[in-house]
């Protein structure tokens, strides 16, 4: 299952048009949800609408009206759809399965757009539901994938709650969170808001998986660049390049300006130079560690007042 995302993303890139390919390429499996959201928000409406259409979304309504005025919502849908093509486990039969972009699953998860496994048990569930007259179906009956059931602690709920495979109407999806105007960007840095994880994939915190992180990236000298996507001999970096915590990188664990979340932070906390932490100075030009803001790197520099 670990490499299924590479196969899925590779298949998308082989099928995608030039505009869509750029958006799909910006998705980073090892990044946090917020990291991917910021990566996709760098694209304009033309690129995002092209990618959404390629992934099967309707982005234009009657009279060519835009259904997604809020590009952040559109980016969110693109991320969920990409992740819905990764290998997952069927909650009904227990088998692992993978849906392709061209597949038409019987059921669609109402939280993350994950399509169901078309195993006999899911087929029985779908057929049983369709025998119930539409007027008698309970409002709110939904189907959730195994990932959402586990992540949201809903695995003990009755498994009979399902809905037909028809996903939520595009108008309903596009109407969510339409408080921002199209293309409007937040003034606050990406980490100013509390990050929510992908609703399906309960990813492990990169802080607890340091072996996944590129050692050259830690030293800020990876030839593949900060994102790891620069191609060397036709290949990107094989290791993870998680987004750095800008608060910790600049101010350490300072209570007012730094990051005090520790292991609970969704972003990568690089190793801070010991001299920078204790003395606010480091004259070693070959030092590979991060240095706090206002750290003296040259003996001729006058000492600066550090953050309280």
């Amino acid at each position: 299952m670990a490499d299924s995302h590479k196969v899925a993303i590779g298949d998308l890139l082989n099928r995608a048009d030039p505009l869509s390919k750029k958006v799909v390429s910006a998705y980073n499996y090892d990044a946090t949800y917020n990291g991917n959201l910021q990566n996709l928000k760098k694209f304009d409406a033309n690129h995002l609408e092209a990618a959404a259409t390629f992934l099967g979304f309707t982005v234009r309504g009657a009279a060519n009206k835009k259904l997604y005025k809020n590009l952040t919502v559109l980016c969110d849908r693109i991320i969920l759809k990409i992740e819905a093509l990764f290998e997952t486990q069927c909650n009904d039969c227990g088998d692992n399965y993978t849906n392709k972009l061209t597949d038409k699953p019987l059921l669609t998860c109402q939280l993350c757009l994950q399509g169901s496994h078309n195993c006999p048990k899911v087929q029985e569930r779908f057929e049983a539901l369709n025998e119930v007259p539409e007027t008698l179906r309970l409002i709110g009956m939904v189907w959730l994938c195994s990932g959402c059931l586990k992540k949201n602690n809903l695995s003990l709920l009755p498994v009979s709650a399902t809905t037909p495979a028809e996903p939520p109407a595009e108008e309903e999806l596009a109407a969510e969170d339409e408080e921002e105007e199209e293309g409007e960007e937040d003034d606050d840095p990406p980490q100013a808001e509390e990050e929510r994880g992908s609703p399906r994939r309960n990813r492990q915190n990169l802080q607890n998986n340091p072996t996944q992180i590129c050692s050259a990236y830690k030293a800020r000298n990876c030839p593949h660049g900060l994102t790891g996507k620069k191609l060397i001999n036709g290949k990107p970096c094989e290791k993870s390049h998680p987004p750095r915590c800008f608060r910790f990188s600049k101010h350490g664990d300072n209570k007012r300006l730094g990051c005090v979340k520790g292991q609970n932070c969704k972003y990568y906390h690089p190793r801070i130079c010991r001299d920078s932490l204790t003395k606010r100075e480091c004259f070693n030009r070959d030092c590979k560690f991060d240095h706090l803001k206002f750290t003296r790197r040259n003996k001729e520099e006058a000492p600066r007042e550090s953050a309280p």
Side-chain angles (χ1 to χ4, degrees):
M1 184 180 292
D3 293 331
S4 68
H5 66 281
K6 296 181 181 179
V7 176
I9 294 175
D11 183 63
L12 289 177
L13 294 176
N14 288 334
R15 296 171 178 269
D17 56 274
L19 292 182
S20 301
K21 184 175 294 186
K22 291 181 180 180
V23 177
V24 174
S25 296
Y27 174 88
N28 183 357
Y29 177 82
D30 293 314
T32 60
Y33 168 83
N34 233 22
N36 277 317
L37 189 64
Q38 295 303 320
N39 287 341
L40 266 61
K41 285 173 68 175
K42 296 176 182 178
F43 294 95
D44 59 25
N46 291 333
H47 282 78
L48 294 175
E49 288 191 355
T53 301
F54 164 67
L55 292 171
F57 294 115
T58 301
V59 297
R60 298 277 178 164
N64 203 34
K65 182 181 178 181
K66 289 186 176 183
L67 298 180
Y68 290 91
K69 294 182 179 180
N70 185 341
L71 295 185
T72 299
V73 176
L74 186 55
C75 291
D76 173 80
R77 300 294 178 259
I78 292 174
I79 292 172
L80 294 183
K81 184 61 178 179
I82 291 175
E83 294 182 348
L85 302 177
F86 298 161
E87 186 176 359
T88 188
Q89 186 178 52
C90 177
N91 196 53
D92 289 87
C93 70
D95 290 344
N96 291 340
Y97 71 96
T98 304
N99 283 325
K100 295 184 178 180
L101 186 61
T102 55
D103 291 340
K104 295 183 179 180
L106 295 175
L107 303 170
T108 300
C109 180
Q110 294 296 102
L111 286 183
C112 71
L113 308 183
Q114 170 66 45
S116 67
H117 186 208
N118 288 348
C119 63
K121 290 188 177 181
V122 172
Q123 292 177 9
E124 290 177 7
R125 181 195 300 278
F126 178 73
E127 292 171 1
L129 178 66
N130 282 340
E131 291 178 359
V132 179
E134 187 173 350
T135 54
L136 298 180
R137 293 177 189 167
L138 295 177
I139 297 176
M141 293 178 67
V142 298
W143 178 79
L144 299 180
C145 67
S146 61
C148 284
L149 286 172
K150 293 176 182 178
K151 185 173 178 63
N152 296 284
N153 297 320
L154 301 174
S155 56
L156 298 180
L157 291 181
V159 295
S160 59
T162 58
T163 191
E166 191 69 27
E170 298 293 339
E171 290 81 358
E172 297 178 10
L173 291 174
E176 296 182 8
D177 303 324
E178 285 293 352
E179 297 178 357
E180 300 178 26
E181 294 299 324
E182 178 182 348
E184 182 178 348
E185 296 289 342
D186 297 330
D187 292 330
D188 294 330
Q191 293 158 267
E193 299 179 0
E194 189 67 25
E195 179 187 354
R196 75 165 177 84
S198 168
R200 181 167 71 89
R201 295 177 54 233
N202 192 8
R203 303 177 185 175
Q204 293 180 313
N205 193 324
L206 286 171
Q207 294 281 67
N208 299 323
N209 294 272
T211 57
Q212 297 180 4
I213 303 176
C214 171
S215 58
Y217 168 72
K218 294 180 181 179
R220 293 182 177 271
N221 60 5
C222 179
H224 296 277
L226 288 178
T227 64
K229 292 183 177 297
K230 183 179 179 181
L231 300 182
I232 305 293
N233 295 326
K235 296 181 180 180
C237 185
E238 295 180 352
K239 291 288 187 175
S240 170
H241 284 225
R244 274 176 158 81
C245 176
F246 79 95
R247 291 184 180 276
F248 183 82
S249 296
K250 290 183 178 180
H251 305 288
D253 57 2
N254 180 274
K255 294 182 178 180
R256 187 168 68 89
L257 299 175
C259 177
V260 295
K261 295 181 179 180
Q263 292 291 324
N264 294 322
C265 184
K266 301 288 186 178
Y267 297 89
Y268 170 56
H269 282 201
R271 184 171 176 179
I272 305 297
C273 168
R274 181 178 299 179
D275 287 341
S276 176
L277 281 171
T278 59
K279 305 176 183 178
R280 279 298 196 277
E281 62 182 27
C282 174
F283 305 133
N284 179 6
R285 295 187 178 183
D286 297 324
C287 183
K288 303 296 184 181
F289 303 121
D290 279 42
H291 297 85
L292 300 180
K293 192 173 182 180
F294 300 136
T295 295
R296 295 175 62 204
R297 298 306 307 278
N298 190 317
K299 292 183 178 181
E300 297 179 357
E301 291 181 10
R304 297 184 183 182
E305 182 179 352
S306 60

